Amino acid sequence: MTQTKSILITGCSSGIGLYAAQILQKRGWRVFAGARKVDDVTRLNSLGLESIQLDVDDAASIERALGWILAKTGNTLDALFNNAGFVQAGAIEDLSRAQIRAQFETNVFGAIELTNHVIPIMRRQGYGRIIQNTSILGIITLGYRGAYNASKFALEGFSQTLRQELHGSGIHVSMIVPGAIESALRANALAHLDIAHTQHSPHHPTYQHMQQHFFDASGGHKKAFAKSPRIVVAQLIKALESPRPRAHYYVTFPAHLLAMLRRLLPDSWLEAILRYVTHKETR
């Protein structure tokens, strides 16, 4: 009898994480769905998922969650999908050290710590898959997301280094690189940018435009470009189940295009394009 493969997915309360948990479970994976809030854990359990409270900002939470999972699997874990993350919006000059630290705690340090807990498990097994949900904003940058850009560039560098260090171990590391995906990411970003306290910023007029358009997930022109989380999960499945997984899986045409332009264009040309994109997004 073939043993059911197991995967831990972080950030399963909505969007990509929720789709990934549900679709992989239907494919026969044993999915452990991590979520930060107790209410979300309860809801995920009601959907038939094995959910566990997991706050990647909290080392004790990571250890408790992994202990619970290993007790259920007999100390094995086939795959990890580091999906949890949020957007700290705002111009760099308006961001506090605390805001930048919080961005890195979730998007970078939490992913690194959880990965480092999982690697010894996979080394003992002689196999495993570690999948990072990065972003096209870890390849190129857009304005008013400097902290998020930096966190995804850091995760990209960490993951590429990890690929080198784990070569030959049977543990494969891949990066999912999405463009615009339908999720609560932008709507949730508003909670991390206190527009009322930016009145003296030269960027305040832009923040007001962003409040009306950028943070509104129902915005028509933005929804036209955002794609279903299902297309991310399709690439996740390839990274998990391919005998020779690739380093990068780009998701959406804009992500493919921008990655190509990053390689081909002079910096000044690419920056002009990215300034135009930022202007269109924030107006």
Side-chain angles (χ1 to χ4, degrees):
M1 180 181 294
T2 303
Q3 185 177 0
T4 301
K5 289 187 176 182
S6 59
I7 182 170
L8 167 60
I9 305 174
T10 64
C12 289
S13 61
S14 63
I16 293 170
L18 178 58
Y19 270 87
Q22 292 176 312
I23 291 174
L24 288 176
Q25 185 182 63
K26 290 177 182 177
R27 290 182 66 85
W29 284 77
R30 185 174 187 182
V31 176
F32 296 102
R36 182 172 57 87
K37 297 179 181 177
V38 175
D39 289 347
D40 288 328
V41 172
T42 302
R43 177 171 52 83
L44 291 168
N45 282 325
S46 72
L47 294 174
L49 296 165
E50 292 183 82
S51 185
I52 180 68
Q53 186 179 11
L54 174 53
D55 182 354
V56 297
D57 291 4
D58 182 349
S61 178
I62 290 173
E63 292 182 7
R64 282 195 302 270
L66 275 177
W68 180 81
I69 291 167
L70 295 177
K72 288 181 170 290
T73 64
N75 295 313
T76 66
L77 185 65
D78 295 281
L80 168 66
F81 180 34
N82 277 314
N83 170 68
F86 74 95
V87 174
Q88 173 60 68
I92 289 174
E93 63 186 290
D94 291 334
L95 296 178
S96 68
R97 184 168 185 159
Q99 287 173 313
I100 297 170
R101 182 183 293 112
Q103 180 77 101
F104 273 72
E105 283 289 348
T106 300
N107 291 13
V108 184
F109 303 148
I112 292 174
E113 184 170 1
L114 180 53
T115 298
N116 284 345
H117 276 286
V118 166
I119 288 173
I121 301 165
M122 294 181 174
R123 281 195 182 276
R124 287 196 298 269
Q125 301 166 170
Y127 62 86
R129 300 287 169 102
I130 297 170
I131 318 297
Q132 313 284 21
N133 190 17
T134 60
S135 171
I136 189 57
L137 296 185
I139 306 294
I140 57 92
T141 63
L142 291 176
Y144 300 100
R145 276 158 289 186
Y148 183 77
N149 294 336
S151 73
K152 291 300 185 178
F153 268 78
L155 189 59
E156 176 76 21
F158 157 70
S159 302
Q160 289 194 35
T161 304
L162 195 60
R163 280 177 55 83
Q164 297 176 33
E165 294 171 351
L166 293 178
H167 180 73
S169 69
I171 305 170
H172 298 279
V173 180
S174 296
M175 288 77 83
I176 307 291
V177 188
I181 301 296
E182 293 173 2
S183 73
L185 200 66
R186 287 193 180 191
N188 291 340
L190 181 57
H192 299 282
L193 175 64
D194 189 352
I195 295 175
H197 287 82
T198 63
Q199 293 179 352
H200 301 293
S201 168
H203 301 281
H204 186 69
T206 299
Y207 296 148
Q208 291 177 310
H209 286 292
M210 291 173 71
Q211 189 171 23
Q212 297 171 17
H213 303 290
F214 178 83
F215 295 118
D216 182 6
S218 65
H221 70 288
K222 293 179 180 64
K223 286 194 74 175
F225 288 102
K227 302 301 181 182
S228 167
R230 289 184 180 275
I231 67 171
V232 178
V233 179
Q235 299 304 310
L236 172 62
I237 290 168
K238 292 178 182 178
L240 287 171
E241 299 182 359
S242 170
R244 295 183 181 85
R246 301 201 304 262
H248 291 94
Y249 291 85
Y250 294 95
V251 184
T252 73
F253 173 73
H256 282 277
L257 177 62
L258 289 169
M260 181 184 69
L261 294 179
R262 168 74 278 177
R263 294 191 297 269
L264 298 178
L265 293 183
D267 287 345
S268 59
W269 291 19
L270 180 62
E271 287 171 6
I273 293 172
L274 298 178
R275 286 196 303 270
Y276 174 78
V277 172
T278 297
H279 178 80
K280 295 294 286 186
E281 281 202 327
T282 56
R283 292 296 189 273

